[in-house]
Amino acid sequence: MSPASHPSDAQLDAATWCRHLIPQGSVYAFLADHRRQLFPPELFADVVRQGGGHPSVPAEVVATVMVLQALEGLSDREAISALRRDIAWKVACGLRLDDEGFHPTVLVYWRARLRTSPQPRRIFDAVRQVVEQTGVLRGRRRRVLDSTVLEDAVATQDTVTQLVAAIRRVRRLVPTARDVQVAAHDYERPGKPVCAWDDPQATQALVSGLVKDALAVLAAVAEVELDAEQGEAVALLALVAGQDVEPGQRPGSWRVARRVAPDRVISVVDPQARHTRKTSAQRRDGYKGHIATEPESGLVTECALTAANAPDGPIGVGLLAKEDPGLEVLGDTHYGSGQTRAALRAAGHTQTIKPI
């Protein structure tokens, strides 16, 4: 038999009953005390769903979950599971003890809206502003630099696939390019060209033909006024038409180069993704996230996203650019180059970095 009435919010408020269990100085306590100051409704007025219907999850709760999710390195499902069962999360978010949280896709929706908004870093900037106002990091002079590879779901594409896709896109976006006579492939037909792939001469002939088609298209649109999307497509075609090929033995012919371009585009679907290696056996594709943190509180003081092949050292130095001199900087061997050490020394910081 169900109860006639439910306990009030005050009777089951997690902070009322369990705030004393949360260590002072922790991120959970910080968010519990400053959540509303950090994430007022007006900060998210441009991304909150407008109109009637079922009430949305409060912005301050979603933003707090995002901060804790990033801190603990959890997936969307793991983050919502923590929100349902972890007292520290409920206290930080200002929820009732029996709150069931929300569906993980809410995080997907919010990230998409924030990413395309005029202020994609608003959550991070809000946290940093309140950290400065409250002085929670005052006297804490240690910073940890670290990075991690964020693997991309895009498939690595070979030279032929990239050339065909890039030519096809320019022909679709720029009317002038459709008038160019091309011979290596029917670009209106999906998929890769028909070729005897185990025959080196046939493969070289195809590559040479594709490069000639690409150069013809580029020449035809060289004097055409392009909008942003068209210009991006043309620039990508120019890049993929030159990064993997070199002149062949016969004048006017081309072949796949016997080397790898240092900053090779691995896919025209996601041109910013890159190859990287953690070790000689661990090859990964995608991006790299960089952070500077205060180790005792776990607060992230700065962050950056780069291509996966970006060096850690110079990015790490940049993350400390707004800090006052006198930090003790901790890092692994990726921050141990002479250039990075010299830059940290010039900025007035001491170093506890593992030697290379």
Side-chain angles (χ1 to χ4, degrees), residues 44 46 50 66 74 84 88 90 94-95 99 108 156 182 196 228 237 291 297 305 330 337 339 355:
F44 299 96
D46 60 321
Q50 304 295 328
M66 286 183 170
L74 304 180
R84 289 171 62 95
K90 290 184 181 293
L95 301 181
D99 196 294
V108 179
T156 301
V182 291
L237 174 58
I291 60 171
S297 66
L305 181 69
L330 295 84
S337 69
Q339 180 183 8

Side-chain angles (χ1 to χ4, degrees), residues 39-318:
F39 310 125
E42 57 269 19
L43 181 64
F44 299 96
D46 60 321
V47 295
V48 173
R49 184 182 63 189
Q50 304 295 328
H54 189 74
S56 61
V57 181
E60 66 179 67
V61 175
V62 177
T64 302
V65 170
M66 286 183 170
V67 171
L68 295 177
Q69 178 186 18
L71 176 65
E72 297 191 13
L74 304 180
S75 68
D76 290 345
R77 290 188 180 278
E78 290 169 339
I80 301 308
S81 177
L83 185 64
R84 289 171 62 95
R85 58 179 170 74
D86 194 317
I87 292 297
W89 281 58
K90 290 184 181 293
V91 171
C93 293
L95 301 181
R96 292 163 50 110
L97 289 170
D98 63 346
D99 196 294
E100 298 180 358
F102 49 84
H103 198 274
T105 54
V106 173
L107 294 174
V108 179
Y109 168 82
W110 272 81
R111 279 197 300 269
R113 295 294 299 274
L114 288 170
R115 184 171 56 250
T116 57
S117 74
Q119 296 176 275
R121 281 170 54 101
R122 70 184 74 191
I123 293 179
F124 181 83
D125 292 339
V127 173
R128 182 168 58 186
Q129 182 179 7
V130 175
V131 165
E132 293 172 354
Q133 292 175 350
T134 58
V136 68
L137 295 183
R138 190 175 295 120
R140 299 187 179 188
R141 306 301 298 160
R142 305 176 81 199
R143 297 292 183 271
V144 176
L145 298 178
D146 203 0
S147 70
T148 187
V149 176
L150 307 174
E151 293 192 84
D152 198 350
V154 69
T156 301
Q157 295 176 327
D158 58 43
T159 303
V160 170
T161 299
Q162 291 201 44
L163 283 169
V164 170
I167 294 172
R168 182 180 291 133
R169 184 184 179 202
V170 172
R171 286 169 57 85
R172 176 173 55 84
L173 293 176
V174 185
T176 304
R178 291 195 288 270
D179 298 331
V180 177
Q181 293 296 320
V182 291
H185 178 56
D186 178 7
Y187 297 97
E188 304 301 322
R189 184 168 59 85
K192 296 177 70 171
V194 176
C195 179
W197 299 104
D198 56 350
D199 183 347
Q201 291 184 341
T203 303
Q204 180 176 333
L206 173 61
V207 170
S208 184
L210 292 174
V211 174
K212 290 178 182 178
D213 285 353
L215 295 178
V217 170
L218 290 171
V221 301
E223 303 299 327
V224 177
E225 186 175 346
L226 306 173
D227 61 26
E229 185 180 12
Q230 293 170 332
E232 179 185 340
V234 170
L236 183 59
L237 174 58
L239 179 59
V240 300
Q243 69 174 3
D244 292 337
V245 299
E246 60 187 11
Q249 294 181 343
R250 298 193 316 275
S253 66
W254 299 88
R255 66 185 181 191
V256 176
R258 295 180 176 87
R259 43 100 182 134
V260 177
D263 195 37
R264 183 179 186 271
V265 172
I266 64 173
S267 172
V268 295
V269 177
D270 192 350
Q272 284 76 44
R274 293 293 186 272
H275 286 307
T276 191
R277 292 177 183 271
K278 276 293 188 182
T279 68
S280 59
Q282 290 184 330
R283 184 170 137 179
R284 303 166 73 182
D285 301 331
Y287 296 84
K288 189 181 289 185
H290 307 259
I291 60 171
T293 66
E294 196 287 311
E296 293 184 28
S297 66
L299 288 172
V300 176
T301 58
E302 188 54 271
C303 62
L305 181 69
T306 67
N309 60 349
D312 288 348
I315 304 299
V317 172

